[in-house]
Amino acid sequence: MIKTEPMIRNSSGEKLDTWVESPEVVKANVVLVHGFGTSKHESLKYFDDIATSLVGDGFRVIRFDLSGYGKSEGDPVDVCYSKHVGDLQSVLNFVTANFHEKVFILAQSMGCFVTALTLPTGVDRILMTGIPNTSRQFIVERFSKRYGSKAGGKIDINGISLLPRSSGEIQQIGSQFWADILALDPIGQVTKLSLLTKLKIIHWNQDEVLGRD
């Protein structure tokens, strides 16, 4: 495997910490888009395992930290869907400018909505895993229950929210994060995306109950 770390900046001029992992012979490019509060490694190193498997099967893997996360530049308080759309588009621009093979996307959790909002063109296939709930209010309530009840936690959709993390740190996020969620039409946006590419959505632990109604 050949690993490089190209210089990619988002639409705000911030450097996105990016890894390109390539086999000797490349079938296609796979861009990994991580979820909320994680990084290019994803929770439990989920993306590390996927990247190793994909490269072993002949795929070039491009993974990066969204701005405000991991080693990428950007203030965590500015984390929001609309800003991360610019991050993903910058990475896709790099991929299409430098590689000629087909482009695929694998998005996890929050990365699914970021990908849907980006509506990327020229992407042959997209796989979404762990896509958030289609109810915007449910998402806000889930955040409130998960973080607002913890010591030091506070949810303020019109101001600065405080989210205690497992590392012991308190992450601050601004009001634009909530505004983006509440303005999102999850079903409509994912439907628009499905018209541009081959889209597959996997819901964990639901495959065994499909078709039983």
Side-chain angles (χ1 to χ4, degrees), residues 36-37 68-69 76-77 79 161-165 169-173:
F36 179 83
Y69 288 130
V77 78
V79 161
S161 297
L162 306 177
L163 278 57
R165 308 313 302 267
E169 297 181 65
I170 302 292
Q171 180 182 349
Q172 298 185 12
I173 57 174

Side-chain angles (χ1 to χ4, degrees), residues 97-172:
N98 288 274
F99 308 125
H100 66 273
E101 301 90 359
K102 290 181 178 180
V103 180
F104 304 152
I105 291 177
L106 190 160
Q108 162 68 8
S109 190
M110 178 190 72
C112 297
F113 284 167
V114 171
T115 301
L117 285 166
T118 303
L119 290 176
T121 57
V123 175
D124 190 70
R125 299 181 184 183
I126 295 177
L127 175 64
M128 292 182 171
T129 61
I131 189 170
N133 197 278
T134 56
S135 167
R136 296 165 295 185
Q137 192 58 42
F138 177 88
I139 296 173
V140 174
E141 291 173 358
R142 182 73 177 269
F143 267 99
S144 299
K145 183 177 181 180
R146 180 176 180 182
Y147 297 106
S149 61
K150 293 183 178 180
K154 182 184 75 170
I155 301 297
D156 182 356
I157 64 173
N158 297 311
I160 302 298
S161 297
L162 306 177
L163 278 57
R165 308 313 302 267
S166 57
S167 63
E169 297 181 65
I170 302 292
Q171 180 182 349
Q172 298 185 12

Side-chain angles (χ1 to χ4, degrees), residues 10-199:
N10 63 11
S11 53
S12 299
E14 297 159 341
K15 181 183 176 182
L16 302 175
D17 195 66
T18 307
W19 290 1
V20 177
E21 297 156 290
S22 306
E24 291 186 7
V25 179
V26 178
K27 296 178 182 177
N29 303 287
V30 183
V31 177
L32 306 186
V33 189
H34 70 77
F36 179 83
T38 60
S39 69
K40 70 174 77 67
H41 303 285
E42 249 302 332
S43 299
L44 303 175
K45 297 185 177 181
Y46 169 45
F47 276 2
D48 289 354
D49 292 339
I50 285 180
T52 298
S53 180
L54 287 172
V55 173
D57 285 339
F59 294 93
R60 179 186 290 114
V61 174
I62 301 92
R63 48 181 169 147
F64 64 104
D65 297 332
L66 291 163
S67 57
Y69 288 130
K71 294 183 179 180
S72 284
E73 296 178 350
D75 193 328
V77 78
D78 295 327
V79 161
C80 61
Y81 289 178
S82 51
K83 187 167 188 282
H84 287 161
V85 165
D87 297 345
L88 176 55
Q89 189 60 63
S90 295
V91 171
L92 290 173
N93 290 346
F94 166 83
V95 172
T96 56
N98 288 274
F99 308 125
H100 66 273
E101 301 90 359
K102 290 181 178 180
V103 180
F104 304 152
I105 291 177
L106 190 160
Q108 162 68 8
S109 190
M110 178 190 72
C112 297
F113 284 167
V114 171
T115 301
L117 285 166
T118 303
L119 290 176
T121 57
V123 175
D124 190 70
R125 299 181 184 183
I126 295 177
L127 175 64
M128 292 182 171
T129 61
I131 189 170
N133 197 278
T134 56
S135 167
R136 296 165 295 185
Q137 192 58 42
F138 177 88
I139 296 173
V140 174
E141 291 173 358
R142 182 73 177 269
F143 267 99
S144 299
K145 183 177 181 180
R146 180 176 180 182
Y147 297 106
S149 61
K150 293 183 178 180
K154 182 184 75 170
I155 301 297
D156 182 356
I157 64 173
N158 297 311
I160 302 298
S161 297
L162 306 177
L163 278 57
R165 308 313 302 267
S166 57
S167 63
E169 297 181 65
I170 302 292
Q171 180 182 349
Q172 298 185 12
I173 57 174
S175 59
Q176 190 59 48
F177 177 82
W178 307 108
D180 284 356
I181 290 177
L182 293 173
L184 179 64
D185 173 13
I187 295 176
Q189 198 65 32
V190 172
T191 299
K192 289 179 184 178
L193 180 65
S194 70
L195 300 177
L196 298 176
T197 184
K198 302 182 186 73
L199 174 63

Side-chain angles (χ1 to χ4, degrees), residues 43 122 137 159 188 202 204-205:
S43 299
Q137 192 58 42
I202 295 177
W204 304 128
N205 298 323

